[in-house]
Amino acid sequence: MDTANLIGICGLTAPVIILAWNIGVACARRGKKPTRESFVTGKGRHNNVYSLEQPEVIVIGSGVVGSAVATALARDGRFVTVIERDLNEPDRIVGELLQPGGVRALHQLGLSNCVENIDAQIVNGYVVHDLETGAHVEIPYPTFGSQKQQGRSFHHGRFVQNLRGLAQDEPRIRMIEANVVNLLESEDSDRITGVEYKLRDSEQTSRLTAPLTIVCDGHFSRFRQKLVRENVQVSSHFVGLLMEKCPQYLPLHAELVLGNPSPVLIYCISEQHTRVLVDVQGKLPKNMPDFMVSEIAPQLPDHIRQPFLDAVSSGDAYNMRHPLTGGGMSVGLHDVILWRNALRNVADCADVYAVRKAQTLFHRQRKNNHAFVVNVLAQALYALFSASDRYLHSLRKACFEYFKLGGECVAGPVGLLSVLNPSPWKLLGHFFAVAFYAVYCNYRDIRSFRSLRRFMLYPLGIVSKACSVIFPLIWSEIKTIVVY
């Protein structure tokens, strides 16, 4: 079956999705009521004078996003105070793979030199290994014009320190090493007016106020429960190990092993070091080294197995969760671009009406672009790659075979994965193309009348399972637009 026909079939579902999307957005806009601040605060009526001691913006956290947004806003003429708990170089397995879309965002922010002088490695794409068939497929990043798009991988801490260094060089940024203990709220509204913090190695509490407070305190945020109402469910963990002098199947490519029951991700972070991330579903095993040696090592390709065993025996500890698609930093940097651009229409962040308007614009733009694509793609791919039933297993096999078709079947998905072409409609088209290709493969493999009878209803199960995976993810993204 021709790939174009598959995409065309999937296109039949697009009008329904587009209609639902537009109805949701229209209802949100029609039902949006002005807040109290919208009535009492006029545009451009503020003549506040800001300084390093009395900033216009407070940023909590000086990681990738916090440092980048502080630098971007300072370069636009705003005084910014950044409060970071620990300014020492962080040592984490999170944030080590920057997709080409993230590299492009760094360039747009004027921060591209942050990946220099840290032994960052070029990433030209992926190699996907299928454990079941023993086959592999190469997925290169796309080429725009004559320019090959490339990602970067590196030690997270070195990258963060470069970002912090650029922020500290900005004359309008003040950096404070302290622990934020509380958000200050206005007495007559739910507006955040500043923070309470304690300097490092001190129990004395200080206060700092500003019209705008941006919370970027990362994975272990103590303020997430105040700002996000949804319950967070942890279905699995990525356990990280650091391998030394590990050979690559294809130079300058990350590797993804479709293991049983879940995937393993491998990529270089320096000339000497290679990161391996093992997805562990459910609770973590009590004896992690034994689990790695007995369950994971036998599934790895030959060129990775021995360095992996050496890393296990050396006692490299597991750390925190890590997204499968490696798109977190790219999303964060694109968010910084959108937020910077939205605030350029705000003369003074004390103008609550203008800030709320910029906030609404920011959320709608990100959910119609990169945030929607990366969030849905990461969860959908994980559901397929960690197949828990026969229908998901069929979708996983079809996904691998779909990549092997080449052409748009690779260029389209990798454009989404790399955050270079984050189109929600292209994501949905390719997802259902994989689902219908799974149906096609089901009938293609029929060899007898007996198997025909058995597989008559099986395609309905495949499509039903695909819908049960993708539509809840779509709704989780659309309902945030309704809120704003």
Side-chain angles (χ1 to χ4, degrees):
M1 180 179 292
D2 186 77
T3 304
N5 291 335
L6 289 172
I7 301 292
I9 293 173
C10 295
L12 295 175
T13 63
V16 177
I17 299 170
I18 293 172
L19 178 62
W21 180 287
N22 289 335
I23 290 175
V25 173
C27 291
R29 291 175 177 171
R30 185 169 59 252
K32 191 71 174 180
K33 297 181 179 180
T35 61
R36 182 187 309 180
E37 293 87 356
S38 300
F39 290 108
V40 301
T41 305
K43 300 179 183 178
R45 298 179 185 175
H46 302 276
N47 296 307
N48 296 311
V49 178
Y50 300 107
S51 64
L52 288 175
E53 290 70 30
Q54 185 56 56
E56 186 178 2
V57 181
I58 297 172
V59 176
I60 303 175
S62 184
V64 174
V65 174
S67 299
V69 74
T71 303
L73 296 182
R75 289 176 178 177
D76 275 359
R78 304 183 191 275
F79 283 95
V80 182
T81 294
V82 180
I83 304 178
E84 166 58 40
R85 180 180 58 84
D86 186 356
L87 288 173
N88 292 315
E89 181 176 316
D91 181 17
R92 299 177 181 172
I93 67 171
V94 65
E96 296 175 323
L97 180 60
L98 185 64
Q99 297 288 356
V103 175
R104 182 177 62 184
L106 275 181
H107 179 74
Q108 293 173 347
L109 291 167
L111 303 174
S112 55
N113 56 339
C114 287
V115 294
E116 298 176 1
N117 303 316
I118 59 172
D119 199 14
Q121 302 297 295
I122 293 173
V123 182
N124 286 331
Y126 287 82
V127 177
V128 181
H129 303 274
D130 183 33
L131 177 66
E132 184 176 348
T133 63
H136 74 275
V137 61
E138 299 174 12
I139 305 179
Y141 287 137
T143 299
F144 288 169
S146 60
Q147 186 175 4
K148 176 71 176 179
Q149 301 301 301
Q150 297 176 326
R152 294 290 188 277
S153 54
F154 37 68
H155 283 277
H156 171 77
R158 300 174 187 175
F159 178 58
V160 169
Q161 290 301 92
N162 274 359
L163 287 168
R164 288 174 177 173
L166 284 182
Q168 289 172 327
D169 289 341
E170 291 294 325
R172 290 177 176 267
I173 291 180
R174 178 170 65 137
M175 194 84 73
I176 300 177
E177 190 171 28
N179 185 30
V180 177
V181 296
N182 192 29
L183 298 176
L184 303 178
E185 297 185 22
S186 173
E187 294 181 356
D188 59 350
S189 70
D190 59 353
R191 185 164 58 91
I192 303 299
T193 60
V195 299
E196 286 184 336
Y197 65 91
K198 293 180 180 180
L199 293 174
R200 189 173 183 181
D201 301 324
S202 173
E203 291 301 319
Q204 183 178 357
T205 301
S206 301
R207 287 192 170 196
L208 183 66
T209 60
L212 179 62
T213 299
I214 302 176
V215 180
C216 306
D217 57 344
H219 178 81
F220 294 112
S221 172
R222 64 185 302 167
F223 303 112
R224 183 175 290 113
Q225 291 182 348
K226 291 185 177 181
L227 304 175
V228 179
R229 298 191 181 103
E230 296 182 10
N231 294 325
V232 178
Q233 296 181 350
V234 179
S235 58
S236 69
H237 299 77
F238 258 120
V239 178
L241 296 93
L242 199 61
M243 304 186 295
E244 294 189 0
K245 299 180 179 179
C246 178
Q248 293 180 288
Y249 186 88
L250 187 64
L252 307 181
H253 281 68
E255 299 181 56
L256 179 64
V257 180
L258 302 182
N260 183 21
S262 48
V264 179
L265 183 62
I266 305 106
Y267 51 89
C268 292
I269 59 174
S270 69
E271 286 284 350
Q272 297 294 322
H273 297 137
T274 299
R275 177 68 71 192
V276 55
L277 296 170
V278 180
D279 182 71
V280 180
Q281 297 183 15
K283 295 182 179 180
L284 292 172
K286 294 182 179 179
N287 192 324
M288 186 63 70
D290 284 352
F291 174 80
M292 292 291 181
V293 171
S294 61
E295 300 294 331
I296 303 301
Q299 303 186 51
L300 298 177
D302 294 339
H303 66 285
I304 297 174
R305 189 173 301 124
Q306 190 56 51
F308 178 84
L309 292 171
D310 293 340
V312 172
S313 63
S314 68
D316 184 27
Y318 57 88
N319 205 312
M320 58 187 296
R321 276 71 60 187
H322 188 89
L324 176 65
T325 57
M329 288 190 296
S330 297
V331 169
L333 292 170
H334 278 87
D335 283 349
V336 171
I337 293 174
L338 291 181
W339 194 229
R340 177 199 64 182
N341 294 343
L343 286 179
R344 282 178 171 171
N345 296 319
V346 180
D348 188 339
C349 288
D351 186 342
V352 179
Y353 174 84
V355 172
R356 289 282 177 91
K357 186 176 180 180
Q359 184 182 24
T360 299
L361 176 64
F362 164 76
H363 280 284
R364 287 179 177 168
Q365 285 182 333
R366 74 188 300 269
K367 288 301 183 181
N368 279 288
N369 197 272
H370 58 277
F372 177 97
V373 168
V374 174
N375 291 346
V376 173
L377 180 65
Q379 297 299 326
L381 281 181
Y382 180 74
L384 267 60
F385 290 164
S386 58
S388 57
D389 60 43
R390 58 175 183 160
Y391 298 119
L392 286 173
H393 186 71
S394 295
L395 287 167
R396 174 170 129 168
K397 288 176 60 179
C399 184
F400 185 77
E401 294 295 326
Y402 187 76
F403 291 152
K404 290 172 67 176
L405 293 175
E408 177 60 21
C409 296
V410 168
V414 80
L416 302 168
L417 179 67
S418 61
V419 204
L420 289 170
N421 185 18
S423 165
W425 313 122
K426 180 166 285 192
L427 167 62
L428 297 176
H430 282 286
F431 182 84
F432 280 103
V434 170
F436 286 113
Y437 193 66
V439 172
Y440 164 73
C441 291
N442 171 77
Y443 286 118
R444 181 193 62 187
D445 295 337
I446 292 175
R447 296 290 183 267
S448 66
F449 178 75
R450 188 175 184 179
S451 62
L452 175 62
R453 287 196 313 170
R454 187 175 61 201
F455 286 113
M456 281 295 291
L457 297 179
Y458 191 73
L460 296 178
I462 292 176
V463 176
S464 174
K465 178 60 68 172
C467 292
S468 70
V469 168
I470 199 70
F471 286 127
L473 298 176
I474 294 172
W475 171 242
S476 69
E477 299 300 310
I478 291 178
K479 67 182 179 181
T480 59
I481 297 180
V482 175
V483 171
Y484 290 99

